Amino acid sequence: MNSNRLADVHHVNAHTITIGSGLLIGDLGHFRPRSDVLAVQEETKVLSEWTDLTDYPIYTAKLSPPKAPIRIETQFIHHYPTIQVKHVHVTGASTAGLVQIGGIDYVDGESRLKHIRILDKEQ
């Protein structure tokens, strides 16, 4: 990893980091978050029983591999040795997300969500 400067952050306020997500302070070489979610919303007071995630093809489908990164030749001149930030406020990160203060070489995230709504008139 090529880390050229330090991040100097005085205050971080993160309200919610959930469902396979992360808050990272520092440098990272590789981040590969995964999240499989089955969300069921019913308009009833009786809860139904649900089956395994593998019953839904969205969770077992093969994804195409990511494209190779595009290499761009760059040159940077840093006039200060640190990146200085007074305050970072994060409302939320969810479902294989990342809030990072620092450098990263590679991110390969995947999130699969099946949302089922059952309305009273459908029951």
Side-chain angles (χ1 to χ4, degrees), residues 40-84:
V40 180
Q41 180 181 5
E42 285 190 75
E43 284 186 328
T44 181
K45 294 180 182 177
V46 178
L47 293 176
S48 299
E49 291 186 22
W50 291 93
T51 58
D52 194 87
L53 291 180
T54 57
D55 291 339
Y56 300 97
I58 189 174
Y59 299 107
T60 56
K62 296 288 183 193
L63 299 178
S64 59
K67 294 181 180 179
I70 298 171
R71 301 285 179 201
I72 300 173
E73 184 120 2
T74 60
Q75 181 178 357
F76 298 96
I77 298 171
H78 300 299
H79 297 283
Y80 299 99
T82 61
I83 298 170
Q84 297 183 354

Side-chain angles (χ1 to χ4, degrees), residues 6-110:
L6 295 176
D8 179 9
V9 181
H10 293 267
H11 182 131
V12 176
N13 177 12
H15 187 266
T16 304
I17 308 291
T18 185
I19 309 178
S21 297
L23 169 65
L24 174 70
I25 299 173
D27 294 335
L28 185 63
H30 187 92
F31 185 62
R32 191 172 185 252
R34 298 289 184 265
S35 179
D36 288 339
V37 178
L38 176 61
V40 180
Q41 180 181 5
E42 285 190 75
E43 284 186 328
T44 181
K45 294 180 182 177
V46 178
L47 293 176
S48 299
E49 291 186 22
W50 291 93
T51 58
D52 194 87
L53 291 180
T54 57
D55 291 339
Y56 300 97
I58 189 174
Y59 299 107
T60 56
K62 296 288 183 193
L63 299 178
S64 59
K67 294 181 180 179
I70 298 171
R71 301 285 179 201
I72 300 173
E73 184 120 2
T74 60
Q75 181 178 357
F76 298 96
I77 298 171
H78 300 299
H79 297 283
Y80 299 99
T82 61
I83 298 170
Q84 297 183 354
V85 179
K86 289 185 181 179
H87 182 83
V88 175
H89 174 80
V90 178
T91 301
S94 179
T95 323
L98 173 65
V99 176
Q100 183 185 11
I101 300 168
I104 190 165
D105 285 338
Y106 184 77
V107 178
D108 176 21
E110 179 182 310

